Amino acid sequence: MKKAKNKLILFAVLSVFVLLTLLIAILNGVNFTMAANDADAITQSLAWQKGSFGPNDRRPNGAGGFFARGESGQIGPMGPGSPEMGASLRYFTFAFDGKTGNAETVALEISAITESEAEEWARSLLRESTGWTRGTYRYRVYEAEGKTFVTVIDQGRELLPSYRILIISVIGEALCLLLMFLFLLYAGKRLFAPLEDADRKQRQFIDGMEKEFQVPLTVVNADVELLERGGGANEQTNSIRRQVHTMSRLLKSLAGLGVLTGETDFSAPVPLSEFLQSEIDLHTEAFLRRGIHPETEIEPGITLRASPEGIKRLVEELLDNAEKYAVSRAKFTLRREKERILLLCENDAALPDGSCDQVFDRFTTLPNAAEGSLGLGLAMVKELVQSCNGRLRASVTCGVFTLRIAL
């Protein structure tokens, strides 16, 4: 339940993060695009006037405004059409002769650089058309009277509000995400309290049911043994034994569900190599009764931070599955593979080749399933592997059923 609560908080915060990031990207993208369009309008007007503002553009009363040449586009006292633009713009323009490459200073209304630096800068832009240079400078390259003109305008002052909006919006997004996380953390406790209580009662019910059923099943087994001693085994006693065996496996599966729903401790490393080998040794007799000698390739010294009880259930289910369905051979491999621990369980099976990951779904069985199979064993294996942040896959190749688990 704690994992479900953490996932809810994570997905909620991630969803809001994606939406806010998309909104901020759109708003700031439009903002910077409008700033670029305004700068292009200024450089275009300079291009119409061959790289510099005429005398009318510098009159104190702004007569004629920025578009003093009869152009439509006057948009009022703000923006690129402001009558004060000619007096306040920081820019420079150089004209380069197409034959000799000599530079002529058309305008140098900027204090940040010297004339020689401005000429070198303009020459480096000759092969361009228009765009941003050095972060906050907008340039335009155009042809007129057989010469190539390069105009560069300083838009740092105009872009400053846009950058401030960007910084404020990013900080605002971070604060919103933090506040939302804290709210969900607080509200999650109240929201999940009834569910956690129901989950606790469910675990208590499963534990109690397992204990309650074990007693009558033990009595039934003992009664069957007494009957068989008196009159020998018959169809009825064999049927009772089969049903008792089915009930015992069902209780074992339910007990495994209790392991999955309970809280797990991943603080201590589990000696996986030693544990797997010891469990295989315990199951060897059961394999030999079916004429199968289990093969092993276990790399020593492999440990895994996981719940010891969960790993025990995982290995038991894998061995039980191989014991029930292997035809003539079973092999278990444990080794390190890059950053992962790889566990392979292979056994021959009368199944068609291909992927068969459906065996990890609850109550799903393959055509070769044993009588009375509940389809819970490998479903439990899947949940145990996922609780360890692992991945698993099932496939059949040339009649060999393979479970590949990467932990």
Side-chain angles (χ1 to χ4, degrees), residues 299 335-342 391 404 407:
E299 182 179 327
R335 66 172 183 266
R336 292 192 179 276
E337 191 173 84
K338 296 181 180 178
E339 300 298 323
R340 291 274 185 174
I341 297 173
L342 183 64
R391 298 190 297 268
R404 179 186 175 92
L407 298 170

Side-chain angles (χ1 to χ4, degrees), residues 10 53 69 79 113 175 187 205 222 241-242 248 292 305 348 379:
L10 175 63
F53 291 121
R69 307 290 174 150
I113 56 175
L175 289 175
F205 171 76
R241 284 191 177 279
R242 286 195 301 270
S248 298
I292 301 171
R305 289 191 177 274
D348 50 357

Side-chain angles (χ1 to χ4, degrees), residues 115-188:
E115 183 174 359
S116 60
E117 291 173 338
E119 179 185 341
E120 183 181 355
W121 188 356
R123 192 178 295 277
S124 69
L125 298 173
L126 278 172
R127 296 183 180 276
E128 308 294 335
S129 56
T130 186
W132 294 104
T133 176
R134 300 190 184 182
T136 59
Y137 293 85
R138 193 74 173 176
Y139 65 87
R140 181 181 292 273
V141 181
Y142 48 94
E143 303 285 340
E145 298 179 351
K147 297 181 179 180
T148 301
F149 289 79
V150 178
T151 295
V152 178
I153 64 173
D154 181 7
Q155 289 292 94
R157 187 168 60 194
E158 288 74 12
L159 286 175
L160 181 59
S162 299
Y163 281 111
R164 285 175 174 170
I165 291 173
L166 175 61
I167 294 172
I168 291 171
S169 59
V170 171
I171 294 175
E173 179 186 16
L175 289 175
C176 286
L177 291 175
L178 177 61
L179 291 174
M180 182 180 179
F181 172 76
L182 294 176
F183 171 76
L184 288 174
L185 205 60
Y186 171 76

Side-chain angles (χ1 to χ4, degrees), residues 45 49 53 56-59 61-69 74 80-86:
S45 181
Q49 301 182 69
F53 291 121
N56 288 338
D57 298 298
R58 294 185 176 276
R59 285 186 293 184
N61 61 3
F66 181 62
F67 296 95
R69 307 290 174 150
Q74 181 71 24
S82 170
E84 302 295 334
M85 183 60 67

Side-chain angles (χ1 to χ4, degrees), residues 290 320-327 347-350 365 368-370 373:
R290 299 193 58 219
D320 287 345
N321 184 77
E323 181 187 327
K324 285 189 294 185
Y325 299 116
V327 178
N347 60 267
D348 50 357
T365 57
N368 68 332
S373 177

